Amino acid sequence: MEQKIKLSLIIPCYNEEKTLRGIVERVLELRKDWLELELVIVDDCSKDASWNVAQELKKQYPEIKLARHEVNQGKGAALRTGFLEATGDFVGVQDADMEYNPEDFLVMLEPLMSGKADVVYGSRYLRPEARRVLYFWHTWMNKTLTTCSNMFTNLDITDMETCYKLFRREIIQKIAPRLKENRFGFEPEVTAYVAEEKCRVYECAIHYNPRSYEEGKKIGWKDGMRALYCILHYGACNAPVPMQLLLYLFIGGTAALANLISFAVCLHCQMPMFYAVIGSYVLSAVVNYLLCILILFRHNACWNTFGELAAYTVTLVVMGFLDYFITVGLIGIGTWVLASKAIASILGFFGNYLLRKYFVFFLRRKS
């Protein structure tokens, strides 16, 4: 006799009155002697009758739990609410539309139940069979974002943006309080944390029947741009070193360009050399710091705000002296002025990277 398990499915819902009942009833068909279900419907302040439908379903089916946001926040926020309400052995995501086939959860459960996996992704791109053809650019964007995510997480996933994700409850409830993305940025964010937690990740082929925008699809190109930002922001700090260096090359290059341009402007305005070097360096340091916060390193990873700023100030002073003495020293031995500044900026790039990675933005290690 198979051991009875409990599966919690989080159903984020926003303006899905036409499909909510249908998908809930399809999910409830999964009930088996060995499988207990818990459906957590989170209404994200729908403007239609979705909440009324959810309340009717709650009266009809004891497996359903309800939660509601008084202000629309987005799919990611609804999932955070649902994850913390779940009590099952395993926790998954089920959209309130009809794009996915709930029967695929039975296949996805196998690696979890056998103890092989901590997380299972349902991939829309593994199954070579008949499928509905819709938007090329939407599919291309999904695959591109998946590739970018893999480069930073070092996971070989074929469909990072899939809705169908299953987690061991202790895994997702550990991750959930850290989640910040309110919309579709949830997908790359949670994937970055799954990789950071060193979870055992499996993939299973799933069925997918995409709906068109006329039928209610909500994700758009702006969500794709946000997803790319999330891949960088949440994944870069644990990415393989070559990817971190590539990102810092962009950040350092932008800062170095700001350094050179401001230095040239200061000289053009006949500012004394000392003030020109220091002033341009401070401007480039500010640019570098802000870009690090936005993209490469997670804010306050080790220090409190004051401590982080103090650590950054030390780095600024050390690298400022280095920048000044290299620039002035090279000028003193006859090197062209802008070339001297460029060499100092290149050396500063490596020094800045090492100090920021291992001092200013050093990650607090887990026990």
Side-chain angles (χ1 to χ4, degrees):
M1 182 177 179
E2 294 183 85
Q3 182 181 358
K4 191 176 183 68
I5 67 166
K6 185 176 181 180
L7 172 64
S8 296
L9 293 177
I10 315 304
I11 305 179
C13 177
Y14 178 67
N15 293 347
E16 300 288 3
E17 63 175 348
K18 295 180 180 179
T19 58
L20 180 58
R21 173 173 287 277
I23 196 61
V24 165
E25 291 179 345
R26 284 189 67 187
V27 170
L28 289 172
E29 292 175 3
L30 297 179
R31 287 175 293 195
K32 311 285 184 186
D33 291 339
W34 55 270
L35 181 60
E36 178 184 353
L37 291 178
E38 176 184 66
L39 308 187
V40 184
I41 301 174
V42 184
D43 183 79
D44 193 31
C45 195
S46 294
K47 301 296 189 295
D48 63 3
S50 294
W51 179 241
N52 293 334
V53 174
Q55 289 178 307
E56 292 171 2
L57 288 167
K58 165 69 174 174
K59 294 176 183 177
Q60 188 174 353
Y61 300 108
E63 294 90 347
I64 293 176
K65 296 172 66 174
L66 299 182
R68 192 184 191 198
H69 292 168
E70 296 302 322
V71 177
N72 178 255
Q73 299 177 54
K75 178 180 178 179
L79 289 174
R80 282 200 303 273
T81 298
F83 288 146
L84 297 176
E85 292 287 332
T87 61
D89 301 294
F90 307 113
V91 181
V93 180
Q94 170 66 63
D95 279 351
D97 55 46
M98 303 291 283
E99 290 188 326
Y100 292 82
N101 183 353
E103 291 184 5
D104 289 323
F105 280 122
L106 298 178
V107 178
M108 293 173 63
L109 277 169
E110 291 177 6
L112 291 165
M113 294 171 60
S114 64
K116 296 178 181 178
D118 301 309
V119 180
V120 178
Y121 280 45
S123 174
R124 295 166 289 181
Y125 306 124
L126 285 178
R127 187 185 300 276
E129 62 176 25
R131 63 184 179 89
R132 181 181 180 184
V133 175
L134 271 180
Y135 302 113
F136 166 79
W137 288 109
H138 179 75
T139 300
W140 178 86
M141 181 176 70
N142 281 343
K143 292 184 176 181
T144 300
L145 290 173
T146 295
T147 299
C148 291
S149 175
N150 289 345
M151 291 170 69
F152 286 93
T153 62
N154 206 24
L155 296 175
D156 186 23
I157 292 172
T158 63
D159 191 6
M160 177 271 296
E161 289 282 345
T162 180
C163 162
Y164 269 18
K165 295 178 173 71
L166 269 181
F167 310 86
R168 286 173 42 218
R169 178 167 54 84
E170 55 268 33
I171 293 291
I172 192 57
Q173 290 190 340
K174 180 180 180 182
I175 291 174
R178 304 171 62 191
L179 297 172
K180 295 182 175 64
E181 293 301 308
N182 285 340
R183 284 181 56 80
F184 297 97
F186 160 80
E187 313 293 357
E189 182 187 15
V190 77
T191 302
Y193 289 139
V194 163
E196 184 177 315
E197 294 293 331
K198 307 297 183 184
C199 295
R200 297 168 300 166
V201 182
Y202 271 59
E203 275 192 311
C204 294
I206 60 172
H207 300 84
Y208 181 59
N209 183 34
R211 59 179 176 173
S212 67
Y213 289 101
E214 292 75 21
E215 294 169 324
K217 197 170 192 67
K218 299 178 178 70
I219 194 169
W221 69 269
K222 291 182 180 179
D223 296 300
M225 297 302 295
R226 180 67 185 183
L228 183 59
Y229 165 78
C230 292
I231 289 169
L232 302 180
H233 185 65
Y234 298 109
C237 63
N238 290 305
V241 171
M243 295 308 303
Q244 291 191 28
L245 284 173
L246 281 175
L247 269 182
Y248 195 75
L249 182 62
F250 165 74
I251 294 171
T254 302
L257 186 61
N259 194 338
L260 285 172
I261 292 174
S262 60
F263 181 67
V265 170
C266 290
L267 290 181
H268 180 74
C269 295
Q270 299 183 338
M271 183 179 291
M273 179 65 68
F274 175 81
Y275 295 110
V277 172
I278 297 300
S280 59
Y281 174 76
V282 169
L283 176 63
S284 69
V286 170
V287 171
N288 191 300
Y289 178 78
L290 293 176
L291 287 174
C292 282
I293 291 296
L294 286 172
I295 300 176
L296 188 55
F297 301 109
R298 290 184 195 152
H299 197 198
N300 296 336
C302 183
W303 313 93
N304 57 27
T305 302
F306 176 79
E308 183 182 275
L309 290 175
Y312 178 70
T313 301
V314 171
T315 298
L316 181 66
V317 171
V318 170
M319 296 309 300
F321 274 112
L322 183 66
D323 183 83
Y324 176 77
F325 285 115
I326 291 176
T327 302
V328 173
L330 289 173
I331 292 173
I333 62 174
T335 308
W336 183 43
V337 175
L338 288 181
S340 300
K341 187 64 174 176
I343 293 170
S345 298
I346 292 171
L347 294 174
F349 164 80
F350 294 102
N352 271 316
Y353 173 77
L354 293 173
L355 284 172
R356 280 159 175 72
K357 180 173 177 60
Y358 295 107
F359 182 49
V360 181
F361 299 100
F362 182 69
L363 285 174
R364 192 186 308 277
R365 298 301 175 193
K366 299 180 179 64
S367 57

